[in-house]
């Protein structure tokens, strides 16, 4: 237990809707070990993003959750995130300090009206009491690390002058600048072209080794999982199907759903596919989801429905 | 959640609208106000021109169930008003005379009227005994002894309908010109664009005033009414035309519209079967939000004395007659039409908000 | 195998910027041609101009219809109408491509009405038959699109495209928005419909793994140019152009022991030999 950075124990989340409670997560438990990459893989509606949002307490007001999320930082007391008050200073310290997040869409994560350098330096100033010059220098160093050549001049540019891949590098730099112990990446490469995706994956992996932090990587792509993860959590319909090392899960899957996912991969051997084509669980619930807006402009909640 | 699968788009929109509490309340209030406006001859106890010489500038009378002894009466009643002249100010002052009570009777015969100008009737929803000496002025009376309550109801008909008629005209112009501009593009589009820009840059109030001043004073009330409506709509359509044009341009690129073109649908089919139904909900929303502007426009013109004029009764006309400082001090109940305007405008805005949320029940579905 | 489509020197630019630069290719009947490329490669503009949803600046698109060869862009809308029956498209976004205010019955019936096929009763039967073909329940006809999951919606889109019995079907990223397991089902469906109906697919995709599995031939596009063309085996086993090599090196393998080693963009001569 003590060697994991993050433990999720029996996490259940329900969303209130006018049609009653809709369960998004039921009894999800897994650990994120230190100094490694844990991938959570699943299709839409599997609850993988709800899980990552629950860690940073980003769920909408319509959500009711139970269970425990414990963060056990390297050099401090363990924190039960789920029992913290929203205004607790520890929460502020947690978000962007101990834990930070990289989202799918790099354009929306950056403010279009501020210079790149100011935005990255701002992240330093939010959490540490340093002079702006120091923050600027640190930002420059971090941007060099994420592979932006000639960082000093790029820091004076605006996000719209950057390509999608470069923007995602900036977002990663912002997330890493306060040396978080846990970096959550929610589908960070889904919106990117395949060649850029490869570059970003290589970058995240090498930075993780260099900085010795933990990464929780949310994705739907088993190819990405194979390339980045040490451990894999397979989720489906708000439940954990299988947990194991990346080799075990991808080369010797135990759960029929994992086999089904693998056989659905384009290019999977055809006989393997035929064998696992018609996977279904007892309730015959499929991967389709139906989303209805919860509150005007707020988070969405999910309705499950029968698969094709 | 299999129930959701069986719903039509209309039912989905209703589901969303129903969640909007304030909009539901607003919708209820507006239905109430419009019902009153439609049946104003029947609901009001008097006609707007009927004078009561015994109650001039009388304050609102309280409708009571308990008499002076604290006895409960099943039938509500009003007390007679006793008139005294204040010897210092020479002003009329009224005091309730608890010795004479006039019970309120329902569906009584009263002043005859023509319902919608169609057939004659003399039943009123409520009044006091028409043959006796009693009277009821729930909102008080004006300086000529006319019942303010009845006048507010008659005014509601004019003010509320001018909003709807005006917006109807606005919609017609806006959708027609905006739609063609968006669909045809080219010179026609530029022409409409420039025209809206010019019209939007002109300060409306002076122009309204100029145009209303040009309406011949000899016109009958009904012609003036339509004249004012047309003046208001002539400047209202520009905003709507712009929105329609913008949506047309955006929707032309939507996948399902492209799909319709690819299966060989002609322009007419694409526009009327696919594009118009998809933004009819937005048009309804925009129209709802445009009604208050019309009502306020009418009020402003009438208040300035250049819109509708007496004997037409509208809320603006009523306010125009309450246009001096004495009113605020001496007969504040003459300002009651203003309260009705405020309520109506707020209700329309809230309703528009709710409709906007419900208008596109799919917006959230596409964001997946 | 006879030729179905021939594109010569197709060019299109938006606001002075060249998006498709002199593209030529041919397409044989009952085959599947994949068009791959990253965002900005011009692949979507290319297929939309083949469909005449976009007017190209220059070049010709010739189509071998049942009545002989036609130059698609010189036809009047009236002359084009019968050809619309033969060329159809399946869209990327199953949410946006179906009119939310129409029932499935109306959506599928509309092409038949436009082309004056059958009466009310026979159209109803045809819709039911089509729903069966795409493996949807016959009760689906009375529902609205929002009642369906992404995969089911894509099946409706396929049914709409196929109800006119087309010969050429353009799939513009038709499976990219779907979950992998749904994606596999839709690809299976498309493949079985192809062998049943003898369809020709023009398959636009950015996911090379899907193209490798689904297509016979591949056209690799990069910044508006076709940089390489060949059979799937040739392209994937023996890529000639640096850009194709870069793309292939970036595919993440589901085998954790095959490490991702993307080529370095800067070391490649991506723009060598391209027309400007």
């Amino acid at each position: 237990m003590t060697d994991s950075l993050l433990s999720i124990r029996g996490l259940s989340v329900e969303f209130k809707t006018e049609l009653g409670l809709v369960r998004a997560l039921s009894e999800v438990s897994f650990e994120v070990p230190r100094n490694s990459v844990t991938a959570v893989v699943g299709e839409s509606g599997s609850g993988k993003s709800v899980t990552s949002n629950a860690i940073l307490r980003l769920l909408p007001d319509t959500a009711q959750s139970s269970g425990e999320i414990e963060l056990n930082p390297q050099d401090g007391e363990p924190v039960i995130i789920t029992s913290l008050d929203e205004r607790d200073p520890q929460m502020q310290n947690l978000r962007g300090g101990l834990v930070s997040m990289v989202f799918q869409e790099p354009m929306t994560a950056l403010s279009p009206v501020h210079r790149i350098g100011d935005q990255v330096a701002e992240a330093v100033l939010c959490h540490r009491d340093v002079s702006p010059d120091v923050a600027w220098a640190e930002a420059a160093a971090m941007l060099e690390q994420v592979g932006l050549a000639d960082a000093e001049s790029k820091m004076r540019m605006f996000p719209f002058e950057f390509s999608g891949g470069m923007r995602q590098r900036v977002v990663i730099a912002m997330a890493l600048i306060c040396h978080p112990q846990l970096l959550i990446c929610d589908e960070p490469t889904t919106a990117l072209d395949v060649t850029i995706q490869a570059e970003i994956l290589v970058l995240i992996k090498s930075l993780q080794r260099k900085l010795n932090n933990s990464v929780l990587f949310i994705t739907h792509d088993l190819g990405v999982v194979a390339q980045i993860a040490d451990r894999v959590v397979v989720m489906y319909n708000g439940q954990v199907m299988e947990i194991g090392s990346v080799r075990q899960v991808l080369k010797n899957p135990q759960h029929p759903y994992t086999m089904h996912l693998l056989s659905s991969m384009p290019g999977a051997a055809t006989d393997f596919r035929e064998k696992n084509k018609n996977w279904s669980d007892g309730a015959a619930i499929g991967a389709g989801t139906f989303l209805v807006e919860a509150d005007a402009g707020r988070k969405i909640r999910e309705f499950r429905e029968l698969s094709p | 959640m299999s129930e959701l699968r069986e719903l039509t788009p209309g039912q989905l929109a209703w589901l969303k609208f129903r969640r909007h509490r304030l909009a539901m309340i607003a919708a209820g209030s507006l239905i109430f106000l419009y019902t009153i406006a439609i049946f104003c001859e029947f609901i009001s106890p008097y006609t707007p021109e009927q004078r009561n010489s015994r109650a001039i500038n009388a304050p609102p009378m309280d409708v009571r169930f308990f008499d002076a002894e604290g006895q409960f009466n099943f039938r509500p009643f009003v007390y007679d008003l006793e008139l005294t002249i204040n010897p210092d100010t020479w002003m009329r002052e009224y005091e309730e005379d608890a010795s004479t009570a006039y019970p309120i009777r329902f569906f009584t015969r009263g002043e005859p009227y023509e319902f919608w100008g169609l057939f004659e009737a003399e039943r009123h929803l409520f009044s006091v005994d028409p043959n006796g000496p009693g009277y009821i002025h729930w909102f008080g009376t004006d300086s000529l002894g006319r019942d303010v309550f009845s006048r507010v109801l008659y005014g509601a008909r004019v003010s509320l309908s001018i909003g709807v008629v005006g917006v109807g005209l606005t919609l017609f112009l806006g959708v027609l010109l905006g739609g063609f501009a968006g669909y045809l593009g080219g010179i026609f589009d530029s022409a409409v664009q420039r025209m809206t820009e010019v019209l939007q840059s002109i300060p409306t109030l002076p122009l309204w005033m100029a145009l209303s001043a040009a309406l011949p004073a000899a016109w009958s009330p009904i012609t003036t009414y339509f004249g004012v409506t047309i003046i208001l709509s002539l400047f209202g359509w520009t905003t709507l035309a712009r929105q329609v044009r913008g949506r047309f341009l955006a929707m032309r690129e939507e996948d399902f519209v492209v799909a319709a073109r690819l299966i060989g649908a002609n322009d007419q089919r694409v526009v009327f079967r696919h594009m118009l139904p998809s933004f009819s909900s937005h048009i309804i929303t925009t129209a709802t939000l445009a009604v208050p502007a019309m009502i306020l426009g009418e009020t402003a013109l009438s208040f300035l004395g250049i819109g509708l004029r007496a004997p037409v009764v509208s809320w603006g006309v009523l306010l125009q007659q309450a246009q001096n400082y004495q009113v605020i001090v001496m007969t504040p109940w003459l300002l009651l039409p203003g309260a009705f305007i405020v309520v109506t405008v707020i209700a329309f805005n809230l309703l528009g908000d709710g409709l906007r949320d419900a208008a596109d029940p799919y917006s959230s579905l596409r964001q997946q | 195998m006879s030729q179905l489509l021939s594109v010569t020197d197709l060019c299109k630019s938006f606001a002075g910027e060249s998006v498709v630069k002199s593209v030529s290719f041919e397409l044989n009947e009952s085959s599947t041609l994949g068009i791959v490329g990253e965002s900005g490669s011009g692949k979507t503009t290319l297929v939309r101009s083949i469909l005449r949803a976009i007017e190209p600046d220059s070049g010709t698109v010739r189509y071998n219809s049942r009545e002989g060869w036609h130059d698609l862009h010189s036809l009047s809308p009236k002359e084009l109408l019968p050809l619309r029956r033969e060329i159809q498209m399946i869209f990327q976004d199953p949410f946006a491509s179906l009119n939310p205010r129409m029932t499935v019955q109306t959506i599928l019936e509309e092409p038949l009405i436009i082309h004056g096929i059958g009466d009310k009763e026979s159209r109803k039967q045809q819709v039911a038959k089509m729903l069966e073909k795409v493996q949807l329940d016959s009760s689906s006809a009375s529902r609205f699109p929002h009642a369906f999951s992404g995969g089911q919606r894509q099946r409706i889109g396929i049914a709409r495209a196929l109800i006119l019995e087309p010969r050429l079907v353009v799939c513009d990223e038709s499976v990219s928005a779907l979950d992998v397991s749904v994606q596999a089902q839709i690809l299976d469906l498309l493949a079985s419909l192809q062998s049943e109906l003898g369809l020709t697919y023009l398959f636009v995709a950015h996911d090379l793994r899907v193209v490798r599995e689904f297509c016979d031939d591949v056209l690799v596009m990069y910044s508006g140019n076709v940089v390489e063309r060949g059979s799937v085996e040739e392209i994937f086993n023996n890529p000639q152009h640096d850009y194709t090599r870069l793309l292939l090196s970036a595919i993440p393998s589901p085998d954790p022991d095959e490490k991702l080693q993307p080529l370095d963009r800067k070391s490649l001569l991506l723009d060598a030999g391209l027309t400007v």
Side-chain angles (χ1 to χ4, degrees):
Chain A
M1 276 300 174
T2 43
D3 61 334
S4 342
L5 175 64
L6 184 83
S7 319
I8 297 176
R9 290 188 284 266
L11 182 69
S12 296
V13 174
E14 287 178 329
F15 289 105
K16 251 189 281 175
T17 76
E18 67 259 7
L19 295 163
L21 287 176
V22 175
R23 184 156 275 231
L25 287 184
S26 43
E27 295 286 326
V28 168
S29 306
F30 63 88
E31 316 255 314
V32 179
R34 287 183 210 286
N35 306 337
S36 67
V37 179
T38 305
V40 177
V41 64
E43 299 182 289
S44 48
S46 62
K48 53 190 196 298
S49 291
V50 179
T51 311
S52 71
N53 286 340
I55 296 170
L56 279 179
R57 301 268 300 266
L58 296 175
L59 295 177
D61 299 337
T62 51
Q64 299 176 342
S65 57
S66 63
E68 218 174 48
I69 301 174
E70 183 184 322
L71 185 75
N72 198 350
Q74 200 97 56
D75 39 9
E77 287 295 295
V79 191
I80 309 279
I81 298 175
T82 35
S83 62
L84 280 185
D85 186 79
E86 190 55 36
R87 273 167 301 231
D88 196 311
Q90 266 187 302
M91 203 63 221
Q92 166 79 3
N93 182 28
L94 208 79
R95 284 191 190 139
L98 284 172
V99 184
S100 60
M101 196 151 176
V102 175
F103 294 94
Q104 180 175 342
E105 197 42 73
M107 198 57 198
T108 51
L110 292 171
S111 157
V113 294
H114 293 111
R115 287 172 206 282
I116 296 288
D118 291 334
Q119 295 193 49
V120 183
E122 174 75 18
V124 182
L125 295 170
C126 273
H127 287 275
R128 296 212 318 272
D129 190 19
V130 291
S131 75
D133 286 342
V134 174
W136 185 267
E138 274 191 37
M142 186 47 82
L143 286 170
E144 295 272 3
Q145 275 205 16
V146 298
L148 282 187
D150 193 13
E152 272 293 337
S153 70
K154 293 226 168 70
M155 285 167 78
R156 288 175 213 289
M157 288 161 77
F158 290 94
F160 66 84
E161 298 172 271
F162 278 34
S163 69
M166 274 157 76
R167 276 185 219 131
Q168 199 60 299
R169 283 170 194 268
V170 173
V171 173
I172 292 170
M174 276 171 76
L176 289 176
I177 194 138
C178 290
H179 308 295
Q181 297 192 15
L182 177 63
L183 176 69
I184 302 174
C185 302
D186 190 354
E187 304 255 11
T189 60
T190 309
L192 303 175
D193 278 325
V194 60
T195 54
I196 311 294
Q197 161 171 293
E199 289 170 15
I200 298 288
L201 289 179
V202 170
L203 174 74
I204 291 177
K205 187 79 182 169
S206 73
L207 282 174
Q208 183 268 324
R209 293 222 175 99
K210 202 148 116 199
L211 303 171
N212 259 331
N213 56 10
S214 294
V215 175
L216 183 64
F217 198 97
I218 316 281
T219 181
H220 65 276
D221 189 332
L222 284 172
V224 170
V225 171
Q227 294 308 319
I228 195 145
D230 301 310
R231 281 172 61 78
V232 184
V233 179
V234 183
M235 285 188 74
Y236 173 73
N237 196 14
Q239 289 164 318
V240 174
M241 299 282 119
E242 183 167 4
I243 303 178
S245 76
V246 67
R247 277 199 178 68
Q248 181 259 301
V249 171
L250 294 182
K251 294 201 151 174
N252 186 19
Q254 297 302 307
H255 195 281
Y257 177 68
T258 318
M259 295 178 201
H260 168 74
L261 264 189
L262 275 169
S263 70
S264 301
M265 285 281 295
T270 8
D271 54 330
F272 187 53
R273 167 172 297 180
E274 280 308 315
K275 213 167 65 200
N276 295 296
K277 195 169 168 180
N278 295 315
W279 181 87
S280 62
D281 66 5
I285 297 170
T289 55
F290 177 43
L291 305 166
V292 164
E293 213 172 34
D295 296 301
R298 285 291 298 160
K299 262 315 260 201
I300 37 195
R301 61 186 118 93
E302 310 180 341
F303 293 94
R304 266 157 242 307
E305 60 169 348
L306 298 175
S307 71
Chain B
M1 294 303 141
S2 58
E3 304 97 311
L4 272 174
R5 308 171 57 135
E6 308 300 336
L7 298 181
T8 64
Q11 287 169 317
L12 262 189
W14 170 239
L15 210 70
K16 276 192 115 183
F17 182 72
R18 228 174 36 186
R19 270 217 311 264
H20 211 291
R21 258 260 189 75
L22 283 173
M24 285 292 281
I25 296 172
S29 326
L30 286 174
I31 290 171
F32 179 72
L33 282 170
Y34 273 90
T35 316
I36 285 178
I38 290 169
F39 298 106
C40 69
E41 291 102 337
F42 170 68
I43 294 171
S44 57
Y46 302 100
T47 60
E49 298 307 323
Q50 203 176 348
R51 296 178 183 193
N52 181 355
S53 53
R54 291 190 298 128
I56 299 226
N57 279 338
M61 295 161 79
D62 290 337
V63 176
R64 293 165 187 276
F65 286 95
F66 293 94
D67 62 23
E69 282 91 46
Q71 289 258 297
F72 176 77
N73 287 35
F74 188 68
R75 183 176 285 282
F77 61 91
V78 290
Y79 283 132
D80 191 20
L81 289 176
E82 202 175 342
L83 172 72
T84 49
I85 305 281
N86 186 319
D88 296 333
T89 59
W90 285 88
M91 296 302 290
R92 293 160 193 268
E93 283 178 4
Y94 290 92
E95 240 173 67
E96 280 189 338
D97 173 11
S99 60
T100 328
Y102 302 122
I104 294 173
R105 302 194 184 281
F106 293 91
F107 303 106
T108 51
R109 278 175 202 284
E111 188 80 358
Y113 56 85
E114 273 188 10
F115 186 74
W116 278 78
L118 294 178
F119 56 89
E120 290 200 7
E122 49 181 28
R123 294 273 173 202
H124 290 262
L125 177 66
F126 68 94
S127 187
V128 292
D129 187 2
N131 303 317
Y135 45 82
I136 174 165
H137 300 297
W138 197 21
F139 285 181
T141 59
D142 65 6
S143 55
L144 295 172
R146 295 177 295 199
D147 181 38
V148 174
F149 181 68
S150 302
R151 287 173 72 78
V152 165
L153 295 196
Y154 276 83
R157 173 174 288 176
V158 173
S159 291
L160 291 178
S161 67
I162 221 166
V164 174
V165 175
V167 163
L169 218 66
T170 308
L171 270 185
F172 178 75
L173 286 172
V175 172
L176 199 75
L177 292 170
F180 272 115
Y183 199 79
L184 295 176
I187 297 174
F188 188 79
D189 184 26
S190 312
V192 172
Q193 287 278 85
R194 298 296 88 75
M195 201 150 84
T196 53
E197 275 152 23
V198 169
L199 282 178
Q200 282 183 338
S201 65
I202 298 172
T204 35
L205 201 58
L207 201 70
W208 280 349
M209 290 173 69
L211 282 170
S212 324
L215 293 182
W219 275 10
S220 72
I222 197 95
T223 347
T224 323
Y225 173 92
F226 281 111
V228 169
T229 317
I230 288 167
I231 289 169
L232 291 173
S233 327
L234 272 181
F235 300 95
W237 64 269
T238 51
T239 338
L240 196 76
R242 288 205 150 186
Q243 286 181 355
V244 169
R245 174 182 172 272
R247 282 207 67 80
F248 244 100
L249 289 179
M251 203 167 279
R252 233 174 19 181
E253 305 301 318
E254 288 249 1
D255 274 358
F256 73 88
V257 174
V258 176
R261 276 168 54 206
L262 289 183
I263 55 171
N266 56 20
D267 284 357
Q268 195 188 343
R269 193 178 181 90
V270 168
V271 171
F272 288 98
R273 298 266 300 166
H274 293 274
M275 292 168 78
L276 268 182
S278 293
F279 66 73
S280 58
S281 47
H282 292 269
I283 292 177
I284 293 170
T285 309
T286 316
T288 310
L289 292 170
V291 173
M294 285 286 158
I295 294 178
L296 288 175
E298 181 275 323
T299 312
L301 285 184
S302 303
F303 184 78
L304 294 170
I306 49 177
L308 299 171
R309 298 179 195 97
V312 177
V313 184
S314 80
W315 289 344
V317 171
L318 291 179
L319 281 184
Q320 197 255 328
Q321 289 166 351
Q323 211 187 71
N324 60 57
Y325 65 93
Q326 274 187 354
V327 167
I328 299 168
V329 185
M330 312 300 296
T331 53
W333 51 89
L334 292 183
L335 296 171
L336 271 169
F340 278 80
I341 292 169
V342 171
V343 168
T344 310
V345 169
I346 290 176
F348 266 112
N349 283 325
L350 290 176
L351 179 70
D353 270 356
L355 286 176
R356 184 162 42 200
D357 289 350
D360 198 356
Y362 306 99
S363 54
S364 54
L365 302 183
R366 289 205 198 115
Q367 294 164 359
Q368 199 192 21
Chain C
M1 254 196 302
S2 63
Q3 236 179 46
L4 192 65
L5 187 77
S6 157
V7 176
T8 0
D9 293 331
L10 196 78
C11 297
K12 176 72 192 175
S13 56
F14 290 110
E17 199 162 328
S18 247
V19 181
V20 175
K21 300 167 193 161
S22 186
V23 168
S24 307
F25 68 90
E26 290 84 41
L27 179 57
N28 287 330
E29 204 172 344
S30 300
S31 69
T32 303
L33 175 66
I35 300 182
V36 295
E38 297 182 288
S39 48
S41 63
K43 53 189 196 304
T44 300
T45 311
L46 173 65
V47 293
R48 296 237 167 167
S49 21
I50 291 169
L51 289 161
R52 256 188 82 165
I54 292 175
E55 288 294 326
D57 300 338
S58 64
T60 52
V61 179
R62 284 162 49 77
Y63 173 76
N64 187 8
S65 79
R66 291 179 181 119
E67 282 94 43
W69 284 91
H70 289 284
D71 182 350
L72 288 183
H73 289 280
S74 63
L75 296 177
S76 71
K78 212 172 160 190
E79 293 167 323
L80 188 67
L81 194 61
L83 288 183
R84 286 272 185 231
R85 283 189 67 175
E86 299 195 19
I87 310 176
Q88 281 298 316
M89 171 158 161
I90 303 168
F91 289 79
Q92 169 176 11
D93 186 348
F95 290 85
S97 59
L98 302 176
N99 189 336
R101 284 165 176 81
M102 286 185 174
T103 62
V104 172
Q105 172 75 28
T106 328
I107 289 171
L108 296 186
E109 207 177 25
E110 197 182 17
L112 299 175
I113 295 173
I114 290 168
H115 291 273
I117 300 167
D119 54 24
K120 206 164 183 236
E121 202 39 52
S122 74
R123 284 199 297 263
K124 209 170 167 182
Q125 279 168 7
Q126 235 174 313
V127 167
K129 225 164 70 193
M130 203 63 232
L131 283 175
E132 198 187 308
K133 252 194 196 129
V134 297
Q135 294 149 26
L136 281 175
D137 203 69
S138 59
S139 67
S140 312
S142 61
R143 295 203 178 120
F144 288 89
H146 65 82
F148 298 91
S149 66
Q152 289 170 322
R153 260 179 257 215
Q154 203 54 298
R155 285 167 195 269
I156 299 168
I158 293 172
R160 172 178 58 194
L162 296 188
I163 202 155
L164 288 170
E165 295 164 11
R167 295 164 72 209
L168 173 62
V169 177
V170 175
C171 307
D172 187 4
E173 301 272 7
S174 304
V175 296
S176 324
L178 305 172
D179 277 326
V180 267
S181 58
V182 181
Q183 189 177 67
Q185 290 167 10
I186 297 290
L187 287 173
D188 282 350
L189 175 69
L190 287 174
S192 73
L193 288 169
Q194 179 170 41
S195 55
E196 188 187 334
L197 307 168
L199 299 171
T200 309
Y201 288 130
L202 198 56
F203 192 89
V204 179
H206 67 269
D207 190 336
L208 287 118
R209 295 172 294 187
V210 174
V211 169
R212 180 180 209 161
E213 180 183 312
F214 191 72
C215 300
D216 305 320
D217 295 289
V218 186
L219 209 65
V220 183
M221 286 192 73
Y222 174 68
S223 70
N225 294 283
V226 174
V227 295
E228 195 164 356
R229 144 135 226 203
S231 71
V232 165
E233 289 76 35
E234 284 165 12
I235 297 280
F236 280 82
N237 297 332
N238 188 18
Q240 296 301 309
H241 195 272
D242 267 0
Y243 179 69
T244 318
R245 291 197 193 105
L246 171 66
L247 271 183
L248 292 176
S249 75
I251 303 175
S253 160
D255 184 345
D257 293 324
E258 279 176 35
K259 279 287 160 230
L260 187 64
Q261 279 169 332
L263 297 174
D264 187 1
R265 216 168 240 279
K266 289 173 208 110
S267 72
L268 301 172
L269 296 164
L270 293 183
D271 297 306
L274 297 183
T275 48
V276 180

